[in-house]
Amino acid sequence: MLIIFDKDGTLIASHGKRPANTPAEQQPLPGVAKKLAALRAAGHTLAIASNQGGVAWGFLSEREAQALVKDAAAKVGGVDLWRCCCYDERAAQRNPGNPFARPSPRRKPAPGMLREIMSAAGFAPTETLMVGDQDSDRLAAEAA
């Protein structure tokens, strides 16, 4: 089975009322590394799918957002693959010139990022579970 996890609020603790924006701020939630180790030992394929809209808002670069997801993966003991989506259409009014401030079929709740992970890992939707903390995670899973 493929198990796709959201990053912020699911694997990694929030930093106050916002997601962690630097590797130093990223700390796994209690018990996460142990649970993921057990899932890996049971033969499951693990992945992370993370919206990283801070790029569209101008808080992070695309490279920094990718580094955050890669760092989170390492801090929880590793995953088989990860993807992030740096687009956020809500940022268009604030950052109209930012190429990431637009809609994307990859941004949860759209299913694109999950479908991409399933395809890369070789799993069908019926063989995949999505674990997240937001309605956007549930809606992406249902759409995928």
Side-chain angles (χ1 to χ4, degrees), residues 2 5-6 13 16 20 23 25 42 45 53 60 69 78 99 103 107 109 112 116 118 122 126 132-133 140 142:
L2 169 63
F5 294 89
D6 173 53
E25 290 179 352
T45 299
L60 302 168
V69 180
R107 182 176 175 81
E116 185 180 310
M118 287 186 286
T126 56
D133 66 325
E142 290 171 356

Side-chain angles (χ1 to χ4, degrees), residues 39-71:
L39 292 170
R40 274 191 294 282
H44 297 292
T45 299
L46 307 181
I48 296 174
S50 180
N51 286 344
Q52 291 294 304
V55 176
W57 290 92
F59 302 131
L60 302 168
S61 71
E62 182 179 17
R63 176 174 272 170
E64 289 169 326
Q66 291 173 353
L68 282 173
V69 180
K70 186 176 180 179
D71 176 73

Side-chain angles (χ1 to χ4, degrees), residues 3-141:
I3 307 173
I4 304 172
F5 294 89
D6 173 53
K7 179 177 84 72
D8 297 305
T10 303
L11 298 177
I12 301 295
S14 296
H15 191 75
K17 292 188 177 194
R18 64 170 173 79
N21 287 329
T22 67
E25 290 179 352
Q26 291 198 129
Q27 297 301 319
L29 287 165
V32 164
K34 185 176 179 179
K35 182 61 178 178
L36 267 58
L39 292 170
R40 274 191 294 282
H44 297 292
T45 299
L46 307 181
I48 296 174
S50 180
N51 286 344
Q52 291 294 304
V55 176
W57 290 92
F59 302 131
L60 302 168
S61 71
E62 182 179 17
R63 176 174 272 170
E64 289 169 326
Q66 291 173 353
L68 282 173
V69 180
K70 186 176 180 179
D71 176 73
K75 285 181 176 170
V76 298
V79 296
D80 297 288
L81 65 160
W82 57 266
R83 299 289 187 274
C84 68
C85 179
C86 298
Y87 295 91
D88 190 340
E89 66 183 275
R90 298 170 302 169
Q93 289 183 3
R94 180 176 173 180
N95 294 316
N98 185 321
F100 292 99
R102 64 176 179 83
S104 171
R106 295 181 72 244
R107 182 176 175 81
K108 297 178 288 176
M113 195 169 19
L114 303 186
R115 289 180 178 156
E116 185 180 310
I117 289 171
M118 287 186 286
S119 177
F123 285 86
T126 56
E127 304 167 307
T128 303
L129 178 67
M130 173 67 196
V131 179
D133 66 325
Q134 301 287 322
D135 281 342
S136 59
D137 299 313
R138 179 183 53 79
L139 293 170

